[in-house]
Amino acid sequence: MWVLIYIFSYSVSPAATNDRTEWRLVPTVVFQEFSSEERCTAAKSKIEGSLREAGAKLKSGLNDLKQAGAADPAQIIIAYNVECHPK
């Protein structure tokens, strides 16, 4: 048995919101069991690919907003980690 651990977190600068307190990480943690290492690794690859693609789209959109003077990509932190471990 293998376990896929997927952690995704993001934080938005207080300067970018009405909440002027502090940077806050908003984590999401998911555990998924797989019957084999191969299945776990395949799922990991798909998740990582989706996250890379989503990150590229987000960065592009934020850069467009930055050029319009409405946002700055530096105001958002996005982090993720996807790992497969034997159970």
Side-chain angles (χ1 to χ4, degrees), residues 7-78:
I7 302 167
F8 176 80
S9 62
Y10 69 92
S11 187
V12 178
S13 167
T17 69
N18 291 331
D19 181 2
R20 302 284 184 220
T21 52
E22 62 186 38
W23 287 77
R24 288 192 198 118
L25 287 177
V26 183
T28 300
V29 180
V30 176
F31 297 93
Q32 177 68 46
E33 291 185 349
F34 290 90
S35 58
S36 69
E37 182 179 10
E38 293 77 24
R39 293 187 75 200
C40 188
T41 303
K44 176 185 176 195
S45 294
K46 285 191 180 268
I47 290 170
E48 288 175 328
S50 294
L51 290 171
R52 275 192 295 276
E53 184 179 318
K57 287 179 182 178
L58 177 62
K59 183 177 179 181
S60 173
L62 288 173
N63 282 329
D64 291 346
L65 288 172
K66 182 179 182 179
Q67 290 176 355
D72 185 348
Q75 293 176 323
I76 297 177
I77 296 172
I78 297 174

Side-chain angles (χ1 to χ4, degrees), residues 70-85:
D72 185 348
Q75 293 176 323
I76 297 177
I77 296 172
I78 297 174
Y80 66 88
N81 190 24
V82 185
E83 296 292 332
C84 286
H85 295 281

